[in-house]
Amino acid sequence: MTDPEIAPDTAAAPQPPRLTGHALIADYVSRLDSSPGVYRMLNDRQEVLYVGKARNLKARVSNYARTSGHSARIARMISETRYMMFLTTRTETEALLLEQNLIKQLKPRYNVLLRDDKSFPYILLDKSHPFPEIRKHRGARTVKGAYFGPFASAAAVNRTLNHLERVFQLRNCSDAMFASRTRPCLQYQIKRCSAPCVGKISEAEYGRTVADAERFLEGKSTAIQQELAEEMQAASDALEFERAAALRDRIAALTTVQQSQGINPRGVAEADVVALHMEGGQACVQVFFIRAHQSWGNHDFYPKTGSGAEEAEVIEAFLGQFYDTKEAPRLILLSHPIEDLDLMEEALAGKAGHRVEIAVPKRGEKAELVENALRNARESLGRRMSESAAQARLLKGLAEAFGLPKPPERIEVYDNSHIQGTNAVGGMICAGPEGFLKSQYRKWNIKGDELTPGDDFGMMKEVMTRRFARLLKEDPERKTDAWPDLLLIDGGAGQVSAVHEIMVEMGVTDIPMIGVAKGIDRDLGKEEFHRIGARPMALPRQDPVLYYIQRLRDEAHRWAIGAHRAKRAKAAMANPLDEVPGIGATRKRALLQHFGSAKAVSRAGVTDLVEVPGISQAMAETIWNFFNDKM
């Protein structure tokens, strides 16, 4: 997309408006032309209420100037409008793309918002090595190889990788581990890898296996099975019974995979199935990923409906925001028609680099796929609404138990994790009316050099300082929902006092905080709750609010401990060669192949190091100086 032409900003340096609502919009219409573009509606505090696109700005905006015929949602929006802003573009497609970018950036109240904009994992066959590695991949496609996906979840990828290891026995180890092996690992012993690292399979034979795995991921499993059967028969005729038995096991594993893949449409090779169900002002969008005639899982989304948007608007907004950072497939099947279907196809095709068809099937296999997705959306929304009702009761009970002015919309729970002060990590989880808000979870590596190992008070102070210093910088006027209504601290009176002290220093004194301590005998159910200026209190053992707080605390424990373990594991797996200046992947592999381990490299002399291919005299001296503290 080329940069849009920006028209003179009609809302720049606005004067106090004499007009409001319909009359104000009519005044703007009188000065608009028929260019395509994007318009914004703002309230008296300059907050963006709505972002919309138009093929013809004058015609589109004039609809809002009418005094009747609007839904309750649009009528409210018009009544709050005090200013408008306009950007013109060369084409309507550019307007659509710009609209979605502005919606994601500004998050207007009356627009449909996709709140869970997660990335999806792929399977990568890394072909940067003579013996390609197969692994899970997220993010930019910077590695040379074949990518297959997206999969709906990490669990779906792991299941498929598990099948591939059983059938094709491809390696999943890193290049460094591959280079350092002197004998087969456990994966070879359990028949999950063909051990190319120690020459148990030739490069040519391994390459044929990689090609078979690619064909399997492209949906050609039946052809592979037939070829394996022919090879097994040939091996049996040649009295190569061990090879025949290995091929028989691969065929059996492949058959098991085919039986366990679930819904596998015969007539749809590649598609995303998008179904929407709305009820009680809430919406659930269910997306099924079909690739290579296989179902690669599904994921549900719960977009914010902009205070009552219609189905067509919700699903069109979802498509624009969902595919903003993802490549669209060649076919998208919808449960509901959208207004600008041709425009959406053009926009998605331009980003994906191939033709994209959007359809609303009425009969046949495609309609069955949509109906299945629609049923899942309906059931998922029903479960969510039931959970939301229960969550609302818990939040109301929490407010009553601790004298809060209203049920909290955002609860932040903090915890630290470390082992005698090492690899210290601070964690924050977030919860609200919709349950755990996992996209809002955060973790911090404790950086305080002056902290005494194991100083929990100091660690908590650092975490709170970093968290709220950033909030004060990014949103000092608290216009967003990033500010908490309640802080839960894992600890007693001392922890609460430490947090209160740092909050007062930063000028944040109006957020209630509660410390959760184990209480007598550190017994579950006897928790004591500590607040500034109040005596410790407890809740009855059978109180649902007590169970809810325990769940929040346990989730914070899980999150912080998981972050600590990941940091500890990374430190344990760190290779000293990674820190040597000038040592990249190729030289590291050569050193490990020559010496067998990083420890052996550290003991080698300069004359031994220069014997390694790719290590010059100067580099050998650099390595020797690094390990002998001469840098």
Side-chain angles (χ1 to χ4, degrees):
M1 178 182 124
T2 57
D3 292 334
E5 297 175 351
I6 301 179
D9 194 342
T10 56
Q15 299 298 317
R18 294 183 298 272
L19 304 173
T20 63
H22 302 287
L24 171 74
I25 296 171
D27 182 61
Y28 276 112
V29 170
S30 66
R31 288 174 277 136
L32 287 175
D33 59 23
S34 57
S35 301
V38 173
Y39 58 92
R40 281 174 275 182
M41 299 173 133
L42 299 86
N43 64 13
D44 54 1
R45 295 187 300 275
Q46 298 289 306
E47 297 170 344
V48 178
L49 299 172
Y50 184 79
V51 175
K53 69 176 186 309
R55 177 183 288 110
N56 181 322
L57 278 172
K58 188 179 187 71
R60 181 73 183 90
V61 176
S62 65
N63 290 333
Y64 297 108
R66 291 187 288 109
T67 57
S68 62
H70 302 293
S71 67
R73 163 177 167 258
I74 299 300
R76 285 197 305 272
M77 180 180 74
I78 292 172
S79 68
E80 294 178 31
T81 300
R82 297 294 181 270
Y83 309 102
M84 293 190 72
M85 299 176 66
F86 304 92
L87 293 172
T88 61
T89 58
R90 280 184 282 269
T91 67
E92 192 181 1
T93 302
E94 289 183 1
L96 172 64
L97 297 175
L98 179 59
E99 175 200 36
Q100 298 306 326
N101 288 336
L102 289 173
I103 289 172
K104 293 183 72 172
Q105 176 186 346
L106 301 173
K107 298 179 173 56
R109 183 191 314 167
Y110 288 98
N111 278 102
V112 176
L113 302 177
L114 175 58
R115 292 173 287 186
D116 182 13
D117 189 18
K118 64 173 289 183
S119 64
F120 291 95
Y122 285 72
I123 285 178
L124 167 63
L125 271 169
D126 184 351
K127 295 185 178 179
S128 62
H129 191 278
F131 293 93
E133 169 196 357
I134 189 167
R135 66 174 186 266
K136 181 169 57 181
H137 175 84
R138 284 186 190 266
R141 301 185 182 186
T142 57
V143 180
K144 177 185 176 183
Y147 295 82
F148 301 92
F151 288 80
S153 64
V157 171
N158 293 335
R159 283 196 301 271
T160 304
L161 287 174
N162 183 50
H163 294 322
L164 290 169
E165 289 171 5
R166 291 170 55 202
V167 176
F168 302 106
Q169 299 182 11
L170 301 181
R171 74 178 183 96
N172 62 7
C173 58
S174 66
D175 290 351
M177 183 175 290
F178 181 94
S180 64
R181 296 299 305 182
T182 57
R183 60 181 182 177
C185 67
L186 181 62
Q187 287 288 95
Y188 173 76
Q189 305 297 335
I190 62 175
K191 298 183 180 180
R192 293 294 184 94
C193 179
S194 52
C197 54
V198 293
K200 294 291 185 180
I201 185 173
S202 67
E203 184 176 338
E205 179 68 20
Y206 189 86
R208 285 194 292 273
T209 307
V210 170
D212 284 345
E214 287 191 73
R215 288 199 295 160
F216 169 79
L217 289 168
E218 292 168 355
K220 302 174 182 177
S221 56
T222 303
I224 297 171
Q225 196 169 19
Q226 291 174 348
E227 292 174 9
L228 290 175
E230 292 172 2
E231 288 184 40
M232 182 183 69
Q233 186 60 49
S236 178
D237 294 342
L239 305 182
E240 298 176 359
F241 299 118
E242 186 173 346
R243 173 173 168 74
L247 290 167
R248 178 203 60 201
D249 294 341
R250 288 177 64 185
I251 293 170
L254 190 56
T255 301
T256 302
V257 172
Q258 292 170 329
Q259 293 172 346
S260 63
Q261 281 177 340
I263 301 172
N264 294 323
R266 295 182 179 181
V268 181
E270 174 187 341
D272 283 354
V273 184
V274 181
L276 165 69
H277 179 71
M278 296 181 65
E279 183 179 341
Q282 299 187 46
C284 175
V285 177
Q286 191 79 214
V287 182
F288 277 74
F289 301 101
I290 306 295
R291 299 293 185 274
H293 296 279
Q294 303 169 21
S295 175
W296 283 359
N298 63 295
H299 191 83
D300 49 0
F301 299 86
Y302 300 91
K304 183 179 177 182
T305 58
S307 301
E310 299 296 327
E311 292 172 334
E313 183 180 353
V314 172
I315 204 163
E316 182 174 343
F318 175 84
L319 292 177
Q321 295 173 51
F322 182 73
Y323 292 111
D324 181 54
T325 56
K326 304 173 183 67
E327 181 180 321
R330 299 182 185 277
L331 176 63
I332 301 174
L333 302 176
L334 302 182
S335 60
H336 298 79
I338 60 175
E339 181 179 350
D340 298 312
L341 187 146
D342 294 342
L343 180 63
M344 184 64 71
E345 286 181 338
E346 182 182 347
L348 297 183
K351 297 186 69 172
H354 57 71
R355 182 173 179 270
V356 175
E357 178 188 356
I358 300 176
V360 184
K362 299 300 182 183
R363 61 181 67 85
E365 185 180 39
K366 294 177 181 177
E368 292 176 3
L369 291 172
V370 172
E371 179 57 35
N372 179 57
L374 192 57
R375 183 178 64 254
N376 277 270
R378 185 165 52 249
E379 294 172 354
S380 296
L381 185 58
R383 289 191 296 268
R384 184 180 179 88
M385 292 176 70
S386 176
E387 293 168 0
S388 296
Q391 186 78 0
R393 290 193 295 271
L394 288 172
L395 293 175
K396 182 180 179 181
L398 180 65
E400 293 173 352
F402 292 99
L404 304 179
K406 64 176 183 177
E409 295 287 325
R410 181 185 176 101
I411 304 172
E412 292 185 356
V413 191
Y414 292 85
D415 191 18
N416 297 325
S417 183
H418 60 90
I419 295 179
Q420 296 181 342
T422 62
N423 298 310
V425 173
M428 177 199 84
I429 67 137
C430 190
E434 298 175 356
F436 291 117
L437 307 175
K438 295 193 175 182
S439 63
Q440 301 293 310
Y441 286 17
R442 296 292 181 269
K443 56 188 175 185
W444 295 269
N445 291 322
I446 304 297
K447 299 177 180 178
D449 297 328
E450 300 178 359
L451 290 177
T452 304
D455 181 4
D456 286 330
F457 291 174
M459 293 179 189
M460 186 60 72
K461 280 188 175 183
E462 178 178 333
V463 168
M464 302 303 292
T465 300
R466 290 166 64 182
R467 164 63 177 158
F468 284 91
R470 182 167 183 172
L471 265 181
L472 288 167
K473 178 181 178 181
E474 296 180 350
D475 186 21
E477 297 182 8
R478 306 193 187 187
K479 292 184 177 181
T480 70
D481 56 3
W483 283 85
D485 302 308
L486 175 65
L487 303 180
L488 284 183
I489 312 299
D490 183 48
Q495 290 280 30
V496 173
S497 296
V499 172
H500 178 68
E501 177 184 332
I502 195 65
M503 298 289 277
V504 169
E505 290 178 3
M506 291 189 291
V508 182
T509 58
D510 58 340
I511 301 178
M513 62 185 70
I514 301 171
V516 186
K518 284 287 176 54
I520 302 173
D521 302 326
R522 300 183 65 81
D523 185 15
L524 188 67
K526 295 183 179 179
E527 281 82 358
E528 287 186 347
F529 301 99
H530 299 265
R531 295 169 292 169
I532 296 297
R535 295 175 59 85
M537 62 171 287
L539 294 173
R541 266 190 180 275
Q542 306 301 321
D543 194 330
V545 174
L546 174 61
Y547 294 146
Y548 179 56
I549 294 174
Q550 290 171 349
R551 281 172 50 210
L552 293 174
R553 182 196 57 199
D554 292 345
E555 175 69 358
H557 278 328
R558 182 199 65 79
W559 176 247
I561 290 171
H564 165 70
R565 286 175 177 167
K567 183 179 181 181
R568 195 173 75 230
K570 184 177 181 180
M573 294 297 292
N575 192 316
L577 294 177
D578 294 330
E579 302 177 17
V580 181
I583 296 296
T586 302
R587 283 174 172 162
K588 183 171 72 172
R589 187 184 306 119
L591 288 165
L592 291 173
Q593 287 177 331
H594 187 88
F595 291 103
S597 68
K599 189 173 184 180
V601 175
S602 69
R603 294 173 175 173
V606 174
T607 55
D608 297 320
L609 291 167
V610 295
E611 297 296 325
V612 180
I615 303 299
S616 64
Q617 179 71 27
M619 180 55 65
E621 292 176 0
T622 297
I623 297 170
W624 188 88
N625 289 334
F626 177 84
F627 285 110
N628 291 275
D629 296 327
K630 302 294 184 181
M631 296 296 288

